[in-house]
Amino acid sequence: MSQIKKELDNVSIEQIENAPESRLRRKLREIKESIYHKPDKLENPLKLLININNTQRITFVAAFFGWTLDAFDFFCVSLTVTDIAKDFDVEPSAVTSAITTTLMLRPIGALIFGALADKFGRRWPLMIDIILFSIINMASGFAPNLKSFIALRALFGIAMGGEWGLGASLALEALPVEARGIFSGIYQQGYACGYLLATLVNYAIVQTNSSWRIQFWVGAAFALLAIVIRFWVPESESFEKTKEARKILGRSILKETWVVLKNHWLRLIYMVILMAFMNFLSHGSQDLYPTFLTTQLKYTASQKTSTSVIYNIGAICGGTIIGYYSTYFGRRLAIVVCAIMVGAFIPLWAYGPNIGSLQFGAFVLQFFVQGAWGVIPAHINELAPAAFRGLMPGLAYQLGNLISAASSQIEATIGESYPLKNEDGSLKLNAEGKAIANYGLTQSIFMGCVCACLIITVLVGKEERNRDFNVVELENEKSGGAVGPVDISELSMEQGIASTSEKPKSVSSKTDANRSDLEIENAK
């Protein structure tokens, strides 16, 4: 016994820490602690919704309504493809190229309007953006032929690309930290609300045998209300503080861009990859699903519309509820749980034995698909460098959207390559004598792969849950750390510049280490 004790005494602490088992346990503990946080005390969600001031309320309403109308205008094409093709005397596939064009050009809009927002503020770029996409949508209803229609939808894609990132940053920067999760979920479901509203308007148009062009004119009319509301929205306080900090440091927006790219290029790549899989998750479960209902399951127009309404209601509920709980349990944990639940409900979503069970499966699956998305506005804005919160979230989102734009084509192509077969091995044919594509199987496999990839991506990432957007931290060019609020305040006093912002409560952990580098940079 004494010999064993003597041998243990001779083992250094370094040897114990470097033991394979110890390193593995330590790594697993680090991963667990980075994903799961002991939940804070849950606030009453109703209290969070009520306890905001009028400025915060109108800012959020304006952002939410703009994103809702953006989605409405986007789905105008998806819901009227057949009628547009008939009017222009072309195949439906030719009309769907307008959707692809819109998706491809959205990153350009995110880059242009995001850069303008970080240079001049959020308010006026958002105002210009909504005016542009409402005018373009109105003009789309007057398009005389397919070429002009596609050209207009290309311009619409640029305008649409600027809305999400700017709206999310403006809305979330104005809100209290504890309310960010629930409002993040509500904001993101403006997309589902726009889809739902467009579905209902389209159903009314179909039932009254009216022109498809009315769908676009209605969307433009709705936008007028959003324009009026945005006149009452003030500029972001966070942007004003960042603008002041840049002035104190004597740093241009171009130099700040270079410093951010140098210090955070890996994080920016990660944000794009994350948003790519998030967009695969939504597009893979939504874009081809209506076609699957009509061609493979033979649903009527009324059954397809009712199913769409049901799963969009599920999306709205999921985004709000999961967004709320992500504030207390963690952003990444919420997304991982949602991805697991999506995978669990794929069989019922695609192979429900009757319409009731399939609608229930669609409701639950979209509850968790958009539940994961409800976390994204808060999560992606918290990951973004403070000086580029107008640009980076929207650009990452739209680049991810560009990568995932072919989701429906991938599913459709594979489904058509492996059509349904009868028990005797012969092909199942529709009324026109054509083979029926097996969209159910291809959608299921596609979604299963996406869920697995999304879980891995989220697990290897990081989060900055409940980050304070009002604490200004620019990038230190020399050390790669943060130029904290204390540094900025001290430089302001040294230069005799009166600071309009209050002295922040929190300070960057790297502030003192970077002070000498900051002085050298400022002297230049």
Side-chain angles (χ1 to χ4, degrees), residues 79-353:
L79 295 167
T80 56
V81 167
T82 305
D83 293 330
I84 295 173
K86 184 178 180 181
D87 194 6
F88 291 155
D89 193 24
V90 296
E91 292 296 323
S93 57
V95 179
T96 57
S97 63
I99 300 175
T100 304
T101 304
T102 298
L103 292 173
M104 290 177 63
L105 293 178
R106 279 164 64 169
I108 297 176
L111 178 61
I112 293 173
F113 286 99
L116 290 173
D118 286 325
K119 173 68 174 177
F120 301 106
R122 322 293 193 224
R123 184 170 179 263
W124 283 108
L126 265 175
M127 187 78 74
I128 294 169
D129 184 52
I130 196 170
I131 291 173
L132 280 177
F133 79 67
S134 62
I135 293 174
I136 295 168
N137 211 51
M138 172 71 76
S140 299
F142 291 101
N145 52 55
L146 182 62
K147 287 184 178 180
S148 59
F149 182 78
I150 292 176
L152 287 167
R153 300 317 290 178
L155 294 174
F156 175 78
I158 296 174
M160 184 180 185
E163 180 65 31
W164 186 89
L166 272 67
S169 61
L170 179 63
L172 297 180
E173 285 173 350
L175 291 167
V177 174
E178 62 273 13
R180 188 179 297 157
I182 190 170
F183 279 101
S184 170
I186 296 172
Y187 173 78
Q188 184 59 37
Q189 295 324 303
Y191 188 80
C193 288
Y195 187 4
L196 180 58
L197 183 60
T199 299
L200 296 175
V201 170
N202 179 255
Y203 183 73
I205 291 172
V206 171
Q207 292 301 310
T208 57
N209 199 27
S210 301
S211 172
W212 59 269
R213 299 175 185 271
I214 295 176
Q215 182 93 21
F216 294 85
W217 299 336
V218 169
F222 283 154
L224 294 176
L225 179 58
I227 294 171
V228 173
I229 294 175
R230 284 189 175 171
F231 274 108
W232 300 93
V233 176
E235 186 52 80
S236 166
E237 182 181 350
S238 177
F239 165 76
E240 295 289 2
K241 290 181 178 181
T242 301
K243 181 181 177 182
E244 180 186 3
R246 283 202 190 106
K247 180 180 178 182
I248 294 170
L249 291 175
R251 185 182 293 176
S252 68
I253 187 73
L254 291 177
K255 185 174 182 180
E256 183 70 16
T257 302
W258 164 246
V259 175
V260 168
L261 290 175
K262 185 175 69 172
N263 293 344
H264 298 292
W265 62 272
L266 190 59
R267 175 174 291 202
L268 302 183
I269 292 174
Y270 171 77
M271 289 167 64
V272 173
I273 295 173
L274 172 63
M275 297 310 296
F277 284 119
M278 287 300 303
N279 277 287
F280 273 123
L281 189 72
S282 58
H283 286 297
S285 63
Q286 293 173 354
D287 292 1
L288 195 65
Y289 200 67
T291 304
F292 159 70
L293 296 178
T294 54
T295 60
Q296 186 170 333
L297 300 186
K298 307 299 183 183
Y299 278 21
T300 64
S302 296
Q303 289 174 326
K304 184 177 73 171
T305 300
S306 63
T307 303
S308 177
V309 169
I310 288 170
Y311 67 66
N312 274 291
I313 291 174
I316 294 169
C317 295
T320 304
I321 294 172
I322 302 298
Y324 164 70
Y325 280 106
S326 73
T327 296
Y328 305 100
F329 292 93
R331 312 294 187 204
R332 291 192 298 151
L333 178 63
I335 296 174
V336 168
V337 170
C338 285
I340 292 172
M341 294 304 295
V342 168
F345 276 89
I346 287 174
L348 193 60
W349 168 73
Y351 295 103

Side-chain angles (χ1 to χ4, degrees), residues 397-464:
Y397 171 51
Q398 300 302 353
L399 287 174
N401 199 46
L402 175 63
I403 294 171
S404 66
S407 298
S408 58
Q409 282 95 338
I410 293 171
E411 292 176 329
T413 301
I414 297 175
E416 291 164 2
S417 301
Y418 298 92
L420 292 171
K421 294 183 179 181
N422 296 307
E423 293 182 359
D424 60 0
S426 61
L427 295 177
K428 284 189 176 182
L429 305 177
N430 58 21
E432 299 175 353
K434 296 181 179 180
I436 301 174
N438 193 353
Y439 293 139
L441 178 61
T442 55
Q443 284 184 120
S444 299
I445 296 173
F446 184 88
M447 287 297 295
C449 295
V450 169
C451 288
C453 293
L454 178 60
I455 291 171
I456 295 171
T457 302
V458 172
L459 289 178
V460 301
K462 295 182 178 180
E463 70 177 86
E464 297 188 24

